[in-house]
Amino acid sequence: MTASAHRDVAVVGFAQRQMREFDGSPNCIELLVPLLQELWEQTGWTKEDIGFWCSGSSDYLAGRSFSFVTAIDALGAVPPISESHVEMDGAWALYEAWIKIQTGEADTALVYGFGKSSASTLRRTLALQLDPYTLTPLWPDTVSIAGLQARLGIDQGLWSEKEMAEVAARSRTSAASNEYAIRRGETTADDVLAQELFADPLRRWDCAPVTDGAAAIVIAATDALPSADKVSRPAVISGIAHSVDSPSLGLRDLTRAPSAERAGAAAGGASGVADVTVAELHAPFSHQELILRRELGLGGPEDGVQINPSGGALGGNPMFSAGLIRIGEAARRIWSGEADKVLAHATSGAALQQNLVCVMEASKDKTL
Amino acid sequence: MTPPSTAVLHQPLTLEFDYTRSLGPVLSQYMSGLAAKQVLGAVLSDGRVAVPPPEYDPVTHEQISRMRPVSDEGVVVTWSWVAEPLPDQPLDHPFAFALVLLDGADVPLLHAVDAGSPDAIRTGMRVRARWADERVGSVRDLASFEPAADTAPGPVPTGETSGAEGITMTSTPVRLAYDYAASPEESAFGRGLKEGRILAQACPVCHKVYVPPRGACPVDGVPTKDPIELPDTGIVTTFCIVNVPFLGQRITPPYVSAYVLLDGSDIAFLHLILGVDASEVRMGMRVKAVWRPEGERSYSMETISHFEPTGEPDAEYETYRRHL
């Protein structure tokens, strides 16, 4: 898909919840209702202002069928709404909504993702996203697959356990100032390395915590912002793209994520990511941030690029909304004036198999 | 600490389903090979041999047309330690998941290595297949790998395969265990049932009364926080007569499944109508709940055994037309 939009679309509202264990139904209606109310307050809109709705969730997480249909109760879907769903992170729901706005069928959209990861053994349940003939019958869990990937890079000298620990420590430290993060606190790389191995070569803090939660975002075409819009500095999507690599783990070079590189190149467009100053990367394992930074051509703090100021997925990784949260966290930096150009990334599948990149910029049009 | 009376209800839930899938020509050969203790790799367009075989070439996207036997021994390319194996993983004691490059293959295979301890496995270590005693044409026919440090690489099988496609189906049992929680509204409803009460909730905006209560009014999208106790009487709005026997059926057909609209509520729910000949049930019929005896009551809707006619005059169609 082309990265240059014909129609400018901006992120104008964002709300989230993250928690270790959500003590409620896996439909997460109770979580979604207050999120939507927050969005109405942020935007000054009502549900009648929304032209398209799209969600990301999975029945495998909920343990029941059609959980996303039940969740629609939270929206107030009468009179009938235009609605869709992806069995992927909400970031892909945002992509679908962006396409919908490009087609002109809608001017505004509300996208959301939700999931109760704690209802089952998450790393085992996720084996169901693998090839059902040759992989799922072995029940390879998410953590083990990430461990295979981490060791490949360590053995090849592409990164070290110390560099992984530095990512984990920086993430925990940044997450300390994120009220939504569930794993946080001032941490040094030595603190991380002092941990026992959890899934050799991974330590517990190298792995994102099992997290329940939900997030919701409002996007709108900049040529159709209702007058009630209260966001003075919308985050305009200058490029958004996603790509996928082979489902065969063996056929992939697991030390790389070519689909992230492709998505980044497409979303970055002609100007690339050189002037991005904040990047929110959806890396559920510490070494995956190192892979992503290389694939996306992103510098680090030493180059004036803030990586995961929210603490990233290592601070909290609610399934089906953690990628969407990256988009919201990055957009927030534009609203606040902290940044003029930001990059958000979301991943899906095993070991960074599928990747989405969304680049956002402060609008140059002062009349917005 | 949340007082127990308002905490949500939890219940263990186990979902089990066997995925039985037909195999295309490529995987059929692969699985047939495994059943015969032979590992087959796909010959890709760039000449590499891939195990397990993809069905289509990753570069040309053409269907794989050539398969070649490879060894059941190889080298560990990377590994991660599983200290606490999860249910249904290849081994029930600590082991390593590894990518194993079989002799004669160019693409590594993911499988389990029974190394004993993380000190006894390393990248580059030689391993050999341990075959299942009973082989059915599944990736589990190759039970696991074991260290083979003392062996030199054996000869790589040569020649093409027979192309046998004896095995055309594979079955993967799936068992998922959940801690299933009810919503706060469903929990209040469940507790009410146990006390012989029907607790509904009303939307603060449109004042519609929902039973069972929902997390939000589906019309207005706002929480339905106001509890309302409803009587256990109502009417049949619409119904069907079940004549078809099915697995797990607990009542002998014919019997009636109906939407029951309780007096004072705005949404009907599905329940049974018994105590009357199926042919007598009609739209608008007045009914009343028949509760299970106190000792048999639970948080479940089954606490109401069924509904039966009260004998009162039927409701006028106009009174429930909007609830159909």
Side-chain angles (χ1 to χ4, degrees):
Chain A
M1 189 63 214
T2 171
S4 54
H6 298 292
R7 204 177 173 200
D8 273 345
V9 173
V11 175
V12 296
F14 168 49
Q16 61 169 316
R17 292 286 187 282
Q18 300 185 50
M19 56 205 74
R20 284 187 188 280
E21 240 176 89
F22 169 56
D23 193 23
S25 82
N27 308 317
C28 299
I29 292 173
E30 314 95 281
L31 273 185
L32 290 169
V33 166
L35 288 189
L36 265 58
Q37 285 172 343
E38 265 182 47
L39 290 178
W40 306 147
E41 281 163 27
Q42 282 178 27
T43 57
W45 297 350
T46 67
K47 62 173 176 148
E48 281 72 29
D49 294 312
I50 301 299
F52 181 63
W53 306 71
C54 197
S55 62
S57 70
S58 173
D59 283 351
Y60 282 116
L61 228 57
R64 57 164 295 170
S65 54
F66 293 111
S67 54
F68 74 93
V69 176
T70 316
I72 288 173
D73 271 10
L75 313 183
V78 177
I81 56 172
S82 172
E83 183 269 341
S84 184
H85 175 260
V86 295
E87 192 93 356
M88 307 178 75
D89 188 282
W92 274 265
L94 186 143
Y95 183 85
E96 181 176 336
W98 180 84
I99 295 281
K100 195 85 169 176
I101 293 176
Q102 296 306 316
T103 65
E105 282 186 39
D107 297 331
T108 58
L110 191 150
V111 296
Y112 57 102
F114 62 93
K116 186 173 171 178
S117 309
S118 68
S120 64
T121 306
L122 179 66
R123 65 187 197 278
R124 180 175 182 272
T125 303
L126 288 177
L128 290 163
Q129 72 183 337
L130 302 171
D131 178 87
Y133 299 94
T134 61
L135 284 176
T136 302
L138 301 170
W139 293 92
D141 57 279
T142 336
V143 175
S144 294
I145 291 173
L148 296 176
Q149 184 179 39
R151 189 183 307 280
L152 271 176
I154 294 168
D155 284 349
Q156 294 177 24
L158 295 168
W159 57 77
S160 64
E161 288 184 58
K162 181 161 179 290
E163 285 171 285
M164 290 163 57
E166 282 163 0
V167 169
R170 195 203 63 238
S171 301
R172 288 177 55 87
T173 303
S174 298
S177 51
N178 176 358
E179 61 174 307
Y180 298 105
I182 66 162
R183 186 183 275 174
R184 52 185 169 157
E186 292 281 335
T187 308
T188 66
D190 286 340
D191 294 337
V192 178
L193 289 169
Q195 278 199 311
E196 276 180 40
L197 289 167
F198 168 56
D200 188 349
L202 301 174
R203 292 170 172 82
R204 210 171 267 278
W205 289 348
D206 287 314
C207 313
V210 173
T211 315
D212 295 345
I217 278 182
V218 175
I219 62 172
T222 54
D223 58 30
L225 289 180
S227 54
D229 169 44
K230 296 205 292 197
V231 177
S232 58
R233 213 173 122 89
V236 180
I237 297 172
S238 57
I240 183 168
H242 69 93
S243 187
V244 67
D245 292 315
S246 169
S248 162
L249 288 172
L251 278 171
R252 288 169 56 194
D253 173 359
L254 290 178
T255 65
R256 292 210 45 207
S259 58
E261 185 190 25
R262 287 192 297 272
S271 57
V273 299
D275 42 355
V276 162
T277 56
V278 172
E280 280 284 341
L281 305 178
H282 185 195
F285 296 90
S286 58
H287 65 278
Q288 293 180 343
E289 182 193 296
L290 300 170
I291 295 175
L292 289 168
R293 279 165 59 179
R294 206 176 37 186
E295 297 295 358
L296 297 172
L298 284 172
E302 62 282 4
D303 311 298
V305 183
Q306 269 190 287
I307 304 289
N308 286 345
S310 69
L314 295 184
N317 186 36
M319 289 303 300
F320 299 95
S321 60
L324 189 65
I325 288 172
R326 305 279 76 74
I327 296 176
E329 287 285 358
R332 214 158 65 72
R333 313 283 159 176
I334 289 194
W335 301 346
S336 68
E338 284 168 72
D340 291 328
K341 186 170 179 180
V342 298
L343 180 148
H345 158 269
T347 196
S348 187
L352 299 178
Q353 185 203 352
Q354 185 161 13
N355 295 283
L356 179 147
V357 175
C358 177
V359 178
M360 290 165 282
E361 298 182 39
S363 174
K364 291 167 190 75
D365 180 358
K366 298 259 186 320
T367 62
L368 275 179
Chain B
M1 179 101 185
T2 316
S5 59
T6 55
V8 303
L9 297 170
H10 288 248
Q11 185 171 308
L13 170 73
T14 305
L15 294 181
E16 296 191 37
F17 40 97
D18 291 357
Y19 273 123
T20 301
R21 293 182 168 89
S22 57
L23 299 168
V26 174
L27 288 172
S28 177
Q29 280 188 69
Y30 183 61
M31 301 298 184
S32 303
L34 292 178
K37 288 194 186 183
Q38 183 186 47
V39 184
L40 298 175
V43 183
L44 307 181
S45 59
D46 58 10
R48 290 185 302 162
V49 176
V51 181
E55 294 183 271
Y56 295 88
D57 189 276
V59 177
T60 65
H61 308 305
E62 294 290 325
Q63 186 173 312
I64 295 297
S65 57
R66 279 180 64 208
M67 304 276 279
R68 177 186 293 169
V70 300
S71 175
D72 64 357
E73 294 182 17
V75 170
V76 170
V77 174
T78 181
W79 57 277
S80 57
W81 193 250
V82 182
E84 290 173 30
L86 296 168
D88 301 319
Q89 288 184 333
L91 295 161
D92 59 10
H93 53 267
F95 68 97
F97 268 119
L99 290 179
V100 175
L101 186 64
L102 297 174
D103 299 335
D106 302 292
V107 171
L109 164 81
L110 184 143
H111 218 300
V113 176
D114 194 0
S117 87
D119 300 328
I121 182 167
R122 58 182 168 78
T123 302
M125 186 172 88
R126 287 199 61 79
V127 291
R128 66 174 160 246
R130 190 187 278 163
W131 293 93
D133 293 335
E134 217 175 298
R135 292 178 305 281
V136 295
S138 141
V139 292
R140 298 293 289 256
D141 289 353
L142 213 170
S144 64
F145 283 84
E146 59 190 17
D150 52 341
T151 60
V156 173
T158 53
E160 301 297 309
T161 73
S162 64
E165 290 185 22
I167 296 193
T168 57
M169 301 286 278
T170 190
S171 181
T172 305
V174 173
R175 271 182 300 276
L176 297 173
Y178 295 86
D179 164 36
Y180 197 91
S183 69
E185 296 79 13
E186 290 162 344
S187 300
F189 177 71
R191 287 201 173 86
L193 286 175
K194 201 166 184 188
E195 296 167 6
R197 303 160 68 200
I198 299 174
L199 298 179
Q201 275 176 340
C203 170
V205 177
C206 70
H207 307 295
K208 282 199 166 62
V209 174
Y210 296 104
V211 63
R214 310 161 81 101
C217 169
V219 176
D220 298 296
V222 296
T224 54
K225 292 294 181 203
D226 309 327
I228 291 177
E229 184 162 354
L230 293 177
D232 63 357
T233 54
I235 60 163
V236 171
T237 57
T238 184
F239 66 96
C240 77
I241 300 176
V242 179
N243 288 301
V244 182
F246 56 85
L247 191 70
Q249 195 169 42
R250 285 189 256 183
I251 302 165
T252 311
Y255 63 93
V256 175
S257 252
Y259 272 103
V260 173
L261 182 70
L262 292 182
D263 297 329
S265 77
D266 289 288
I267 193 161
F269 55 83
L270 200 60
H271 219 299
L272 293 167
I273 309 297
L274 301 176
V276 58
D277 194 275
S279 63
E280 294 291 313
V281 176
R282 52 199 182 271
M283 291 171 77
M285 178 182 248
R286 297 279 308 159
V287 291
K288 182 172 172 44
V290 176
W291 295 81
R292 290 192 188 278
E294 216 154 311
E296 294 173 27
R297 288 181 190 173
S298 71
Y299 302 119
S300 153
M301 193 61 142
E302 290 180 356
T303 292
I304 296 175
S305 160
H306 58 272
F307 283 79
E308 64 182 21
T310 63
E312 298 164 277
D314 289 0
E316 290 294 331
Y317 178 73
E318 274 305 308
T319 64
Y320 60 88
R321 181 177 62 84
R322 289 176 54 79
H323 295 291
L324 293 173

